Amino acid sequence: MKKVIWVSWIIAILLVLVFIVIVTKITVYIDLRHAKDNDYYRVTFMAWFKLIRYTYEIPVVKVQKDSNTLLVEEKSGAGENTNKDKWKDYSMEDGLNLLEDAKQFLEHVVGFHTIIRKFLSHIAVRNLKWHTRVGLGDAALSAILVGVVWSAKSGFVHLLDQYMRLKDPPRMTVVPAFQKMWSETIFQCIISFRLGQAILVGLRLVKHWRKIPRFYKPESESKAHSVKT
């Protein structure tokens, strides 16, 4: 009899834990800033009234014009010299390999678009702020660029509202810098969703994953190498 009671208690506790995980709300703070050559990209994940918090800083990307490669900043690990910036360069071939891997993934997941779209419909977007200042050093050209930027922003927000739940009107500005070359933008927003919804998406992806043929091309080895500056 005691054994049955203990088993019942264990099952009840497990069910409560599963319920807590499913209803846990994940809040994501997105803060992206760009001002000429100064970039600041940060994404913070929070749950359980900020008791769980994880911040990820998106690596800074620079274009190496002489070799047609992208330089991606890497954070120094523990025990490493933090005074030196570490970079990895990625060639066009690396980008093509990444696109090929993504293509293979999409081809082997039936209904991928439907699954992702259902998940996006459960995501709420709040406090969207998008402020931009641009200039081409010429008043007429800068005015044209401002119109293009406004159109691009409006199109993006329309897609966002179509696929997600935009809770409040976005606050956006585009300020021209008529007399100088300038590029500056600040993008901030808060998105939230239930952890159970994200888990459900993962289960659906696994369910719809088709068996990969034996002749499937394995992921290419990365040819990136470190470049110190």
Side-chain angles (χ1 to χ4, degrees):
M1 186 65 181
K2 291 183 178 181
K3 184 177 180 179
V4 174
I5 295 175
W6 274 106
V7 171
S8 300
W9 271 105
I10 292 174
I11 294 175
I13 293 173
L14 290 175
L15 290 175
V16 170
L17 291 176
V18 170
F19 176 77
I20 292 175
V21 170
I22 290 175
V23 301
T24 294
K25 185 178 182 180
I26 305 297
T27 303
V28 184
Y29 294 82
I30 300 175
D31 187 3
L32 312 178
R33 302 167 185 256
H34 166 75
K36 299 192 73 174
D37 294 330
N38 297 320
D39 299 303
Y40 173 87
Y41 307 139
R42 176 175 292 181
V43 180
T44 302
F45 299 84
M46 295 184 181
W48 294 353
F49 304 101
K50 300 183 180 181
L51 291 177
I52 297 179
R53 182 189 182 110
Y54 174 76
T55 299
Y56 175 72
E57 293 187 7
I58 302 174
V60 175
V61 177
K62 294 182 179 179
V63 178
Q64 186 127 322
K65 297 180 180 179
D66 56 349
S67 60
N68 293 324
T69 60
L70 293 178
L71 293 179
V72 180
E73 185 181 19
E74 288 192 324
K75 297 297 179 182
S76 300
E80 297 182 7
N81 188 350
T82 56
N83 294 326
K84 292 184 178 180
D85 294 330
K86 295 184 63 179
W87 299 82
K88 274 191 176 182
D89 70 324
Y90 294 88
S91 65
M92 183 177 295
E93 183 180 353
D94 296 325
L96 292 176
N97 289 334
L98 181 62
L99 290 176
E100 180 64 25
D101 292 339
K103 178 183 176 183
Q104 292 284 354
F105 174 79
L106 294 176
E107 288 177 350
H108 287 84
V109 177
V110 180
F112 176 83
H113 178 267
T114 303
I115 296 172
I116 296 301
R117 184 161 186 171
K118 286 183 179 179
F119 173 64
L120 292 178
S121 66
H122 294 288
I123 296 180
V125 182
R126 296 180 175 85
N127 298 338
L128 195 157
K129 304 175 185 177
W130 196 354
H131 304 296
T132 304
R133 187 184 182 197
V134 291
L136 293 176
D138 179 88
L141 293 177
S142 297
I144 295 174
L145 180 60
V146 167
V148 172
V149 173
W150 264 119
S151 297
K153 283 189 175 187
S154 299
F156 174 80
V157 172
H158 175 73
L159 287 176
L160 202 65
D161 189 37
Q162 183 178 0
Y163 284 92
M164 301 182 186
R165 293 182 292 137
L166 201 56
K167 290 296 186 178
D168 43 36
R171 285 174 280 177
M172 301 191 300
T173 59
V174 181
V175 179
F178 290 114
Q179 304 302 326
K180 58 182 177 180
M181 295 287 294
W182 193 262
S183 173
E184 179 181 358
T185 189
I186 298 175
F187 180 89
Q188 297 173 322
C189 72
I190 301 173
I191 66 175
S192 58
F193 56 89
R194 299 291 178 185
L195 182 58
Q197 295 163 351
I199 294 175
L200 184 60
V201 169
L203 294 176
R204 285 177 175 172
L205 290 176
V206 172
K207 178 182 177 181
H208 289 78
W209 180 263
R210 298 185 303 181
K211 186 176 181 181
I212 301 177
R214 293 183 179 180
F215 55 83
Y216 173 68
K217 181 182 176 181
E219 183 179 357
S220 301
E221 295 182 0
S222 176
K223 297 181 180 180
H225 56 276
S226 298
V227 177
K228 295 184 179 179
T229 59

